[in-house]
């Protein structure tokens, strides 16, 4: 039998079960603001302090800030307990999803008795509301949209006020039904999370396999039975006996913008020569639709970094080591700062081959980069210039390029399939939670 529903009177909630009530958050929760600990109070060990930046993916990552135990005893009002609901009130603007203001988290058991820092609020439900039911409700896309709407701030940082957050309306079922919903969602969400985690592990294995395929091809070639020799270079190891190797600087043009050359963001325009930045890189190419534009006069000021078809571009700051091969140009284009243009000056190698070399593990081993380019904060032009890499014949380079383009495209398709599945599962989880905590789905 279908249960009776009624109009909640709230647009984003819609209909709710007849025996549910609508209440403002301020009526069902108490809040505690974190304490603004002074920098001199922090130490290398002691009681962990939870900061806004520690709230990630609905949990709290291991805190790296501590207060000495003898001091911590004076701040029992901000002492936390397992499964406390926490939310950041300062963060990035809503468009930066992973660090946006309003990050929600449940305190894990290992951080029990930790302390709450400023810019984080603890939500404590009153007797009539179950803690995990409240957590599930706060994790709905409807509440997230509300936070995005009320967030205040500048271009880089946003904040939330408790007054506005607590003015949000929530549907409250009976105590018995809250527990049923909580238990149902615990079971269902755990299974969904487990499936998502397995898919992520498959993706990581596929990425590692792709990396090994690339590295094997650019260091050993495609013929497994050729005689080998030791290259004399630690990060290369053995290479085919007839291959050579040399440093990039002896056969390569390598240039970057010197600072900004006075170029300001206010000079970016809607039309004109393209200005390429590292955030425009997608899948080893440049997404020209994302690029800024500059005036022709600004473009002409820096002829050394005019982009040509066949150029290779690499990021040297930010997420370093990202690559883009220029196989087409929609118009005149130049580099922004933090990038280098790479161009062969001899016929010993092609840039497409170098693209695969710089995508391999040997370049990451040389530079100290992790797979996603997250270890080094910058990559100097000198460092790249001194990189030695193996050089097969041009004919072999062409074969290696064709092989890797085909093989890596196949691997990327598998990765994309897994990514799509993860997105669908994530959306299903969000919809499931929303339907349950608003009474659209009976459990």
């Amino acid at each position: 039998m279908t249960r009776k529903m009624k109009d909640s009177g709230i647009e984003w909630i819609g209909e709710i079960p007849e025996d549910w009530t609508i209440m403002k958050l301020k009526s069902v929760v108490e809040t505690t603001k974190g304490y603004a600990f002074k920098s001199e109070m922090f130490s290398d060990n002691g009681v962990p302090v939870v900061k806004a930046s520690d709230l990630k993916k609905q949990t709290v990552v291991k805190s790296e800030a501590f207060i000495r135990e003898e001091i911590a005893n004076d701040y029992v009002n901000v002492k936390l307990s397992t499964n406390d609901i926490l939310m950041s009130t300062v963060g990035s603007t809503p468009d930066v999803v992973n660090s946006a203001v309003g990050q929600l988290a449940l305190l894990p058991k290992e951080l029990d008795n930790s302390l709450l820092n400023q810019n984080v609020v603890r939500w404590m439900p009153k007797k009539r509301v179950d803690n995990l039911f409240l957590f599930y409700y706060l994790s709905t896309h409807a509440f997230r949209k509300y936070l995005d709407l009320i967030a205040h701030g500048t271009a880089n940082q946003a904040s939330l006020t408790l007054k506005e957050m607590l003015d949000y309306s929530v549907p409250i079922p009976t105590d018995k039904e809250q527990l049923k919903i909580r238990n149902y969602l615990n079971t269902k969400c755990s299974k969904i999370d487990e499936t998502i985690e397995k898919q992520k592990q498959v993706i990581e294995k596929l990425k590692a396999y792709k990396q090994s395929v690339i590295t094997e091809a650019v260091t050993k070639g495609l013929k497994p039975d050729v005689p080998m020799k030791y290259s004399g270079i630690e990060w290369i190891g053995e290479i085919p006996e007839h291959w050579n190797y040399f440093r990039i600087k002896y056969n390569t043009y390598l240039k970057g913008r010197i600072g900004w050359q006075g170029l300001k963001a206010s000079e970016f325009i809607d039309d004109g020569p393209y200005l390429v930045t590292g955030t425009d890189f997608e899948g080893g190419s440049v997404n020209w639709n994302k690029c800024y534009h500059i005036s022709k006069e600004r473009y002409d000021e820096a002829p050394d970094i005019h982009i040509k078809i066949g150029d290779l571009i690499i990021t040297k700051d930010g997420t370093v080591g990202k690559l883009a091969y220029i196989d087409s140009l929609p118009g005149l284009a130049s580099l922004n700062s933090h990038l280098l243009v790479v161009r062969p000056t001899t016929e010993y190698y092609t840039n497409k081959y170098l693209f695969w070399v710089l995508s391999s593990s040997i370049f990451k081993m040389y530079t100290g980069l992790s797979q996603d380019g997250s270890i080094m904060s910058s990559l100097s032009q000198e460092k790249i210039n001194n990189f030695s890499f193996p050089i097969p014949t041009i004919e072999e380079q062409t074969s290696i390029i064709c092989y890797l383009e085909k093989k890596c495209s196949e691997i990327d398709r598998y990765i994309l399939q897994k990514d799509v599945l993860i997105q669908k599962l994530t959306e299903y989880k969000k919809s499931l939670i929303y339907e349950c905590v608003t009474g659209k789905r009976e459990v």
Side-chain angles (χ1 to χ4, degrees):
M1 180 176 173
T2 304
R3 60 182 170 179
K4 292 182 179 180
M5 304 290 284
K6 66 181 180 182
D7 183 14
S8 67
I10 309 294
E11 181 182 354
W12 57 86
I13 295 176
E15 289 192 331
I16 60 173
E18 199 172 47
D19 59 342
W20 289 29
T21 58
I22 294 290
M23 302 181 73
K24 296 283 189 182
L25 272 174
K26 60 188 174 186
S27 300
V28 297
V29 300
E30 295 177 349
T31 58
T32 303
K33 291 182 178 181
Y35 183 78
F37 293 101
K38 295 179 180 179
S39 57
E40 59 266 25
M41 298 172 70
F42 291 109
S43 63
D44 294 332
N45 49 62
V47 178
V49 176
V50 175
K51 296 184 175 183
S53 58
D54 298 331
L55 276 58
K56 297 182 187 296
K57 298 180 179 179
Q58 298 195 348
T59 189
V60 182
V61 298
K62 188 175 180 180
S63 175
E64 295 182 356
F66 300 90
I67 296 291
R68 294 195 312 275
E69 287 193 25
E70 57 268 28
I71 298 177
N73 293 330
D74 296 331
Y75 300 95
V76 292
N77 58 315
V78 290
K79 182 179 286 190
L80 299 172
S81 300
T82 302
N83 282 340
D84 273 350
I85 300 172
L86 308 177
M87 183 175 289
S88 63
T89 55
V90 171
S92 303
T93 48
D95 55 302
V96 188
V97 178
N98 291 331
S99 60
V101 63
Q103 292 295 308
L104 181 70
L106 273 182
L107 190 79
K109 184 177 181 180
E110 57 267 26
L111 287 174
D112 190 49
N113 292 324
S114 56
L115 302 178
L116 192 63
N117 200 23
Q118 62 181 337
N119 301 326
V120 186
V121 171
R122 173 172 55 188
W123 301 69
M124 297 166 291
K126 295 178 181 177
K127 289 183 179 179
R128 199 176 159 192
V129 179
D130 177 75
N131 187 67
L132 285 179
F133 175 83
L134 176 64
F135 175 79
Y136 280 124
Y137 191 84
L138 296 178
S139 67
T140 61
H141 53 78
F143 187 63
R144 179 67 253 179
K145 286 181 180 178
Y146 177 72
L147 295 181
D148 294 348
L149 183 68
I150 64 172
H152 307 277
T154 63
N156 299 318
Q157 191 176 65
S159 61
L160 293 165
T161 65
L162 264 179
K163 181 180 179 182
E164 289 178 302
M165 286 193 287
L166 293 174
D167 199 44
Y168 189 77
S169 298
V170 296
I172 306 296
T174 63
D175 294 354
K176 183 179 179 181
E177 193 156 9
Q178 285 183 48
L179 295 179
K180 284 176 64 179
I181 292 170
R182 180 197 71 183
N183 294 336
Y184 175 80
L185 286 175
N186 282 348
T187 301
K188 296 289 286 187
C189 290
S190 293
K191 289 179 180 178
I192 295 170
D193 290 341
E194 185 180 332
T195 304
I196 289 174
E197 185 57 36
K198 286 180 180 177
Q199 298 307 311
K200 287 180 178 179
Q201 290 173 10
V202 172
I203 288 174
E204 290 308 308
K205 289 179 180 178
L206 285 168
K207 286 180 178 179
Y209 173 58
K210 177 181 175 181
Q211 189 81 161
S212 67
V213 166
I214 295 170
T215 304
E216 183 77 10
V218 300
T219 57
K220 304 295 186 286
L222 303 178
K223 297 179 180 179
D225 55 349
V226 297
M228 306 292 285
K229 67 180 179 183
Y230 181 58
S231 66
I233 299 170
E234 180 184 357
W235 56 88
I236 296 177
E238 287 191 331
I239 59 174
E241 199 172 58
H242 63 287
W243 285 21
N244 293 313
Y245 60 87
F246 54 65
R247 292 184 181 180
I248 280 182
K249 65 181 177 183
Y250 295 129
N251 297 274
T252 307
Y253 178 88
L254 194 66
K255 289 286 183 181
R257 182 179 289 276
I258 302 173
W260 278 70
Q261 295 179 316
L263 183 65
K264 300 176 182 177
S266 59
E267 297 180 70
F268 298 160
I269 54 180
D270 296 329
D271 200 11
Y274 293 82
L275 183 70
V276 178
T277 69
T279 55
D280 304 327
F281 291 14
E282 289 182 3
S285 301
V286 173
N287 183 343
W288 299 104
N289 294 323
K290 292 176 63 177
C291 294
Y292 295 113
H293 296 268
I294 54 175
S295 67
K296 180 65 163 55
E297 291 73 23
R298 276 298 202 180
Y299 169 82
D300 288 335
E301 286 177 358
D304 289 350
I305 53 173
H306 289 173
I307 300 172
K308 301 178 181 180
I309 291 177
D311 280 349
L312 184 59
I313 306 174
I314 184 170
T315 56
K316 64 184 184 69
D317 296 292
T319 304
V320 299
K322 288 174 65 179
L323 299 164
Y325 179 79
I326 308 300
D327 55 7
S328 64
L329 275 173
L332 300 177
S334 185
L335 297 183
N336 203 345
S337 56
H338 314 305
L339 300 178
L340 293 170
V341 62
V342 183
R343 191 180 300 152
T345 56
T346 67
E347 296 182 354
Y348 287 118
Y349 76 91
T350 67
N351 248 359
K352 271 200 172 181
Y353 172 72
L354 184 61
F355 171 88
W356 290 110
V357 171
L358 299 184
S359 301
S360 72
S361 295
I362 62 170
F363 184 64
K364 292 176 172 61
M365 286 173 62
Y366 168 74
T367 57
L369 290 174
S370 65
Q371 186 162 297
D372 61 357
S374 61
I375 292 181
M376 292 182 64
S377 58
S378 65
L379 185 60
S380 70
Q381 187 167 329
E382 181 184 7
K383 184 81 172 178
I384 298 174
N385 263 326
N386 286 320
F387 174 63
S388 294
F389 66 101
I391 304 291
T393 65
I394 289 295
E395 290 76 18
E396 285 179 285
Q397 290 181 41
T398 302
S399 296
I400 289 169
I401 291 165
C402 292
Y403 167 76
L404 288 176
E405 286 179 348
K406 181 180 179 180
K407 189 71 175 177
C408 291
S409 291
E410 292 173 356
I411 299 170
D412 288 340
R413 278 197 298 272
Y414 290 130
I415 291 173
L416 180 60
Q417 289 173 5
K418 298 300 179 183
D419 277 330
V420 170
L421 178 57
I422 288 172
Q423 290 171 18
K424 288 181 178 179
L425 286 168
T426 302
E427 288 305 312
Y428 170 66
K429 178 182 174 183
K430 289 178 181 178
S431 297
L432 179 67
I433 292 172
Y434 176 76
E435 289 175 4
C436 289
V437 299
T438 57
K440 308 290 188 296
R441 178 188 293 245
E442 188 172 3
V443 300

